[in-house]
Amino acid sequence: MSIGRRSLLLSSFAVASAGVAGGLLWASNARALSADLDTMMMVEHISPGTNAMGSLRFTGRAGPLGRYPSDNGVVEPRSLFPNPADPFGINDRLALGEEGYALEVQDRGRGQVAPGPNDEPWALNMIPFGVALDGVILDPSGPWYDGGVPDPNNAFDNKCSGWEYEVMHPTVSRIVGVPDAIAGHVQPSGMFHYHGYPRMLTALLRKRHGKTGALLVGFSADGYPVTDYRATQTNGDIESFFFSGYILRSGKRRALDLTNPDFTPSGLYDGLFVQDYAFDPEAKSDLIRRTLISGGDYHGLTAAKLNAGKARFSLLDERNGIQADATYRVSDYPAKVWHYVLTPDWPYIPRFFAFEPAGSFADIIPKSRRNRLYTNCPADLAGIRVGKGRTPY
């Protein structure tokens, strides 16, 4: 079978420290970036022919940029690690390509494959969700409840509780060493990864690329584009906001579906755990509208913009994804492509895949280790992990 290749230039990052001029940007939108950026990610589209889905292959350094502009000046991720709660430095030798993680995914976005109403979401199962344009892995998963405080060493639910700590909750982020400025931290391997909404990256990309449809931020492990939560419509006059359909549950925690009924953490639903949130688009829409009516600002959306017809908002599905409509485009993708969205409201980074993730992403944490999510549960609690009827993946 013949293989045709087309390189996609995604974002222009100058390699100042090595004295190499480099650029990664969409061929249709070439522009120079500043030397603040000292790394690059290359994404290559590989088409196997007309009757099969192509793939995306990622190469470059698996790590953050040298520095990111912020409201308070400049943030240099390498200066934030190690820290008292995260004793690991960023390993600049980690790579996305063949010399490292060898990341490659089916190109479902360009193949125009979208999840249907009968397609059950796939849980992350400690598999990284995707990769951002700066080469940073998107990995929101956290430690699990074992009766005590969040323990970074409990990555595979030793007690089979079914309750996962939310790393971006202030209590957890302080314990595991996630600085507020960067929404990520470093694993023992030296891999820096995002747990939350990468605000500095999206601001930087938006500054460089301006208002141009849905801002591409990265790619998922199951082969879809990942965009920011704000998109400019094709006429340039209306801004679309995409928010998650999740809200905090109310009241005291109790046993839930896919949790251990005999091992429920105490306290109120306050966002300390992933399971503190429920997918309820109707309640979420009401919450947003109440915020706007009271004169508040919901992550940049205001009642004034909405009432003037200058903005609209849509809620995402359970996977934190949506099918683009005719009013906006995702760069270099077919019209009406299904895409994931990174949001400033929970879950920040999606917590479900639409389809089974690529093996290369699953292998970042070997299956032999991730299988402990299943083997740590006795037979009578096996449903906590295989609630969708799937074998371990």
Side-chain angles (χ1 to χ4, degrees):
M1 179 172 59
S2 63
I3 297 179
R5 296 189 177 184
R6 179 167 66 90
S7 290
L8 300 183
L9 302 179
L10 293 177
S11 177
S12 173
F13 298 153
V15 192
S17 61
V20 178
L24 298 180
L25 26 77
W26 298 114
S28 61
N29 188 29
R31 66 187 66 190
L33 295 190
S34 78
D36 286 349
L37 311 182
D38 64 354
T39 187
M40 61 173 63
M41 181 176 82
M42 174 70 78
V43 182
E44 188 176 25
H45 175 70
I46 302 174
S47 175
T50 58
N51 297 321
M53 195 181 307
S55 62
L56 296 175
R57 181 177 296 165
F58 306 96
T59 56
R61 192 173 70 194
L65 308 180
R67 52 185 178 169
Y68 296 79
S70 74
D71 293 339
N72 299 316
V74 170
V75 172
E76 298 179 356
R78 286 158 189 80
S79 71
L80 302 176
F81 305 97
N83 61 50
D86 187 350
F88 310 107
I90 295 173
N91 183 352
D92 286 323
R93 294 187 298 275
L94 298 177
L96 301 172
E98 291 298 328
E99 68 278 26
Y101 297 124
L103 298 183
E104 184 171 341
V105 301
Q106 284 187 298
D107 192 359
R108 288 190 171 95
R110 204 164 277 98
Q112 297 184 281
V113 176
N118 296 322
D119 290 319
E120 288 279 3
W122 291 67
L124 294 189
N125 278 8
M126 307 305 289
I127 297 171
F129 171 74
V131 62
L133 291 187
D134 54 0
V136 174
I137 298 296
L138 300 166
D139 186 7
S141 299
W144 297 78
Y145 178 66
D146 62 5
V149 298
D151 179 2
N153 294 315
N154 185 15
F156 305 106
D157 202 4
N158 297 337
K159 301 289 187 179
C160 192
S161 71
W163 290 84
E164 180 185 354
Y165 280 106
E166 170 50 54
V167 173
M168 293 310 297
H169 186 279
T171 297
V172 186
S173 64
R174 183 173 59 252
I175 290 173
V176 301
V178 176
D180 292 340
I182 199 71
H185 68 162
V186 185
Q187 291 181 347
S189 66
M191 184 185 79
F192 175 83
H193 55 286
Y194 288 125
H195 273 281
Y197 177 70
R199 191 174 308 277
M200 289 190 296
L201 172 62
T202 56
L204 177 60
L205 292 173
R206 190 168 299 283
K207 179 180 179 181
R208 304 307 185 189
H209 296 286
K211 294 183 176 181
T212 173
L215 181 69
L216 186 71
V217 178
F219 300 89
S220 71
D222 58 347
Y224 288 100
V226 180
T227 73
D228 190 27
Y229 78 104
R230 301 170 79 150
T232 303
Q233 296 191 8
T234 51
N235 63 14
D237 294 330
I238 301 175
E239 188 172 22
S240 292
F241 290 78
F242 304 106
F243 299 120
S244 89
Y246 288 88
I247 61 166
L248 268 177
R249 303 176 191 270
S250 59
K252 293 184 178 180
R253 292 191 188 94
R254 57 181 177 81
L256 301 171
D257 187 31
L258 305 183
T259 67
N260 186 336
D262 298 322
F263 205 67
T264 301
S266 62
L268 301 173
Y269 294 115
D270 62 358
L272 181 62
F273 295 93
V274 168
Q275 289 70 28
D276 285 357
Y277 293 89
F279 183 68
D280 190 340
E282 184 176 349
K284 183 60 172 286
S285 182
D286 289 343
L287 183 153
I288 293 172
R289 293 188 184 281
R290 289 198 307 270
T291 300
L292 299 180
I293 289 172
S294 67
D297 174 307
Y298 195 80
H299 300 293
L301 176 65
T302 64
K305 290 180 181 178
L306 205 62
N307 295 337
K310 295 295 184 181
R312 67 169 191 167
F313 77 90
S314 301
L315 297 185
L316 304 167
D317 66 17
E318 188 178 8
R319 309 167 187 85
N320 237 42
I322 193 169
Q323 190 146 17
D325 60 25
T327 65
Y328 70 94
R329 294 289 298 268
V330 178
S331 296
D332 210 53
Y333 276 89
K336 300 184 179 180
V337 63
W338 192 89
H339 61 102
Y340 290 105
V341 181
L342 302 185
T343 52
D345 52 357
W346 197 90
Y348 318 119
I349 297 171
R351 306 305 170 100
F352 291 102
F353 295 114
F355 295 101
E356 185 172 6
S360 58
F361 275 88
D363 288 343
I364 291 177
I365 300 177
K367 188 176 180 180
S368 60
R369 294 179 61 200
R370 289 188 294 99
N371 269 354
R372 289 162 55 191
L373 285 170
Y374 298 88
T375 59
N376 283 334
C377 290
D380 62 324
L381 293 176
I384 289 178
R385 299 293 173 225
V386 290
K388 303 296 183 182
R390 296 191 175 107
T391 56
Y393 58 91

